[in-house]
Every structure is written in structure tokens, then in C-alpha cells.
Amino acid sequence: MEFESLRPFDGFSQLLLGGLILGAVYYVITIARKYQARKNLVLQHGCKPPSRYPVWDPFLGLDVVYDALRAAKRNTFIEEKISHYNDYGNTHSSRLTTYPVISTIEPQNIKTVLSTNFKDFVIGSPRRRAFGPVIANSVLVADGVEWEHARAFLKPSFSRSQVGDLATFETHVKHLIDAIPTDGSTVDLAELFLRYTADVTTDFMFGESILSQPHPEAFGRELTDACRIGQLGAERRFRLGILANLVPQGEFYRSVNKVHSYMESHVDKAIQQRHSQSDEKKDTNTNNGRYIFLNELVKMTDDRMILRDQLLGIFLAGRDTTSALLTNLFFVLARRPDVWKRLHRELDSLHGRKPSLEDIKGLRYLTFCLNETLRLYPIVQGTSRVATKDVILPTGGGNDGKSPVLATAGTLVIFHFAVLHKRKDLWGEDADEFRPERWQDEKASWVSKQSLTAIQQFALTEASYTAVRLLQEFTGIESRDSQPWTESLGATVSSANGAKVSMMK
């Protein structure tokens, strides 16, 4: 009788067992088909594996994570990446926690990822997980449909914006000029440029500047440090991968909350103003005849989180990108009196008047200098994408590094612009030198031509106008720092020692 009472369960057990067997068979068949499809791709395109960076931990690549964190802390990350590419080739594989990695500085491969096969790659969970706590709803970390929506959300506002609003630049350039001593004393331009770009960016976004140059306490050290800690923390989270949540991050989250609170105060104010306006005023595009970026965004949504994160992404990009570019440029100019003098000769054509947008476009040597600064000291040292399907990279495989490479679905493809821009086979034997004249032939890598987004165009216009006005106001510049350029790696790359100079009128 005891055995008979178990019989009703026999059918269920057999059904469960059968289901498990069928599931296992289906899984094996799926894997076999995927393997065969990849094998066919490899044979069809003649793919060969790239050289492999030695990883002692084959499961999580913990040694790679440790090396990256140590290099960033020592300000030698770029230097070590150059060494890796010299030792293991322009394309090589490794591992970052759970992700197989292909690192490459081949323009053809980068073009495949960012252009030719753009839809087959996404920013992916590594970057979203790292930067999510800071700018979760920003276009900077969006993928697929979300990216298209975010881009469509921002593009109309940028296309109507006064990217060339030189009057706004001039207002804050005057404060910058006033802050630079003319008695021969040393000044760190890096700090001044950071305040200057914060003033310009907040003026553009909110319609009112924080005026941190004439009033340094307006953008207090606490908030400045919070921005820096938030950005450094996000980069650290990226290098840690899935291990990030195992590391104490109290200071990171406290800093992010401070920055969020600052942005939310402006968002709330704009939403309240929008709701209190009459329907007639809501249809207007400006505030007393002036374009205000946040007011344009509020017309499309009153979602506080979306507005906050989009604004924060633009603020960090607009402030840090331009300040880093100007710092690196004047770091070089202080050491290159020949370049400084040639820039002055080019500006003679303005006869002392402030430049127009057309004037700036016509200053070729200034453009060469900015291009060369971005080449030698790229603001973004590298970026990455995750393959959503199997993709063929044109080159990098085999012993000679010239065969196609199969990047399987789920592979993290990383490219390092800071290394690409120093390749002597692309830029000549003087690739490590600052030589603006190399741009006379309009030589530029494919990557250099691709990255002019609306935000970057705004930053370049701002940097160009600022450089012109400083050159017009000051006749000489002298370096007060004997140390070579050293990287400071965060969300952007800038000079770790700033730009300590003396300027003369």
C-alpha cells in the first residue's frame, strides 16, 4: 500500500525528468549551432585570434582590474597602455571580470564599431553600471531606443541653441582676465579655467551663471570636490566591473547626492516657472529674448530625474572638457614661445578687435594648435562598446596582426585614443612632439573626424574664443613648472600639475 501511494507522483517525476532532458538537448543543440555558425564565419572571413594579454586569473581577470586601478592611482595609466600595445600588438585580447575583452587602436576596427556596424554594439552594462548612479538617464549612457529618444530629446534644443553666443563667453572671459595676475607672480590656470567653464556652462544651461570667478565661494570647494569624487568614483566602478558593489563607496554616493541636489534645485525652479507661466508665454522660445537650455528641455518633459541627469551630463562634459583642453593648450604654450609668437602674428589680422564666429573659423593656426592639443592630450583617453552579435573586425588577428578578428556577442571592445594618437606609423616619427604644422595637410585619423557632437562643438568654440582673448590681452607667457606633462585620469584627462605659469601684458 505504501508503494501504491507513491504512484501518482511517478508520472510527474517522469514528466519533469523528460523536460529536463529536452531542455538539456535543446541547450546542447543551440550551443552546437552557435559554434558551427562561428566556425563558418571564421572560415569565410579568414579570422585569426589576436595576441593575448597574459591574464593570471582566467575567470574574473582580477589581476587586470588591480593593474588598472594601480596605474590610475599612480597617474601612469596611459603610459602603461602604450607599453601593453607595444608588447602585445595594436589589437589584443584579455578579460575584465565576466567580459571577454578586445583592446584595439586600429582605425579600421574603431570605424567598424562606431560607424559601419554601429547597430551591432551598445554602450552596455559595464558603463551603465559604473555611471548609472551619477547620470542614469543621460544620453551619455543610453543604448538603443533609449539613446535615440535621449538624442531626439536634446537635439532640437542644441540645434536652436546659441552655440556661438560669443557675448556670453566675453562676459566671463573678462572675469578670467581680471583673475590672472600681471605682476609676474605664478598662477595655476587650471583652477581658473575650471571656474570659467563652470560659469559659462551654468549661464548657458540655467540662464544665470554661478559667477564662481568673481565669487569663488559660489561654486564652493565642497561642490567642486563632490563633482570630482563622483567622476573618479564612476571610472573606478568601471574598472572594478561586477566587483564594484563589493567595495565601500560611501564617499562616492555622498558626493553624487550633493551634485544631484544642486542640479535638482535648478530643475525644480524651472518646472515651477513653467507651470506658473501663461499659455502665451509657454510658447515663446526665450526668456526676455535670451535662449535658456533648461527652459527648452522643460517644454518637453517635467520628469525631474530625466532633466537632472541630462543637465548633469552636459554640465560635466561642458565644464571639464573645455577646462582640460585649455589647461593642456596653455601648458604647452608656456613651453613653446615659437608657437605663442606665431599665434600672435595670426591674430594681427583682427587689429585688436574681439573675434566673431567667422573670424574664429578663419584662424587656421589656432585650429591646428587645438587639434594638436587634442591629439597629444586627448580629453577622453578611450571608450568601449559591447557587441550584441558576432561581428568581424577587419584587422588585428594572427601573428602579423593583419587578419580579421571575430568579436563574439558579449565581447567588450575597448579602444584607447591616447595610444592611437601616438602611433608613429600613422603620425610620423615625431608623434610624441607638439607640432601644429602637421595639420596643414588636413591629415586626421577617421576617429578625429567623427567626434564633433553638439556639446563638443560648443566646447571647441568656447576654447577658441577664450584662447584668442587671452592672447590679445597678454603679450607673454612663461612656465613656472619644470615637471613634464603628467596625466590626471578621471572622466576626462587633464594635466595632473595644472598649468602653472606667469603671464605678462
Side-chain angles (χ1 to χ4, degrees), residues 300-434:
M300 292 180 277
T301 183
D302 58 3
D303 187 311
R304 295 176 72 249
M305 298 301 99
I306 290 178
L307 290 169
R308 181 199 70 190
D309 290 355
Q310 296 291 9
L311 283 171
L312 181 53
I314 293 167
F315 174 76
L316 295 175
R319 185 192 73 143
D320 294 3
T321 298
T322 312
S323 65
L325 173 55
L326 286 168
T327 297
N328 292 333
L329 172 63
F330 278 82
F331 179 94
V332 173
L333 293 181
R335 288 160 172 75
R336 292 290 301 273
D338 57 320
V339 177
W340 177 268
K341 290 177 182 177
R342 183 166 175 180
L343 283 169
H344 265 279
R345 288 198 299 271
E346 182 174 60
L347 295 185
D348 287 343
S349 61
L350 297 179
H351 304 292
R353 62 179 171 80
K354 298 178 180 63
S356 66
L357 200 55
E358 288 304 312
D359 289 330
I360 291 174
K361 292 177 181 178
L363 297 173
R364 296 185 71 233
Y365 193 67
L366 174 62
T367 300
F368 297 163
C369 288
L370 289 170
N371 285 344
E372 186 70 345
T373 302
L374 289 170
R375 181 194 70 83
L376 203 55
Y377 311 111
I379 305 303
V380 179
Q381 66 85 22
T383 189
S384 63
R385 294 291 187 274
V386 176
T388 59
K389 58 185 291 188
D390 295 347
V391 178
I392 304 297
L393 300 180
T395 188
N399 293 331
D400 59 1
K402 295 182 179 179
S403 298
V405 174
L406 175 64
T408 57
T411 297
L412 180 66
V413 182
I414 302 177
F415 17 92
H416 298 92
F417 304 127
V419 185
L420 168 66
H421 291 174
K422 291 188 177 182
R423 280 183 55 177
K424 293 184 177 180
D425 58 326
L426 296 178
W427 298 97
E429 289 301 314
D430 62 353
D432 293 330
E433 299 176 16
F434 185 88

Side-chain angles (χ1 to χ4, degrees), residues 133-196:
V134 185
I135 47 174
N137 298 294
S138 170
V139 68
L140 300 178
V141 294
D143 270 326
V145 175
E146 289 182 5
W147 177 81
E148 292 177 359
H149 287 168
R151 187 169 180 269
F153 176 69
L154 291 175
K155 188 175 180 180
S157 296
F158 265 111
S159 64
R160 293 194 301 269
S161 73
Q162 298 172 359
V163 171
D165 183 9
L166 303 187
T168 298
F169 295 155
E170 178 62 25
T171 297
H172 302 293
V173 163
K174 287 179 179 178
H175 294 152
L176 174 62
I177 293 169
D178 290 342
I180 298 175
T182 58
D183 59 358
S185 59
T186 301
V187 61
D188 186 359
L189 291 179
E191 180 66 26
L192 297 184
F193 286 146
L194 203 57
R195 293 186 183 281
Y196 164 70

Side-chain angles (χ1 to χ4, degrees), residues 68-77:
L69 292 173
R70 182 184 60 180
K73 187 175 182 179
R74 292 179 175 178
N75 293 335
T76 59
F77 185 86

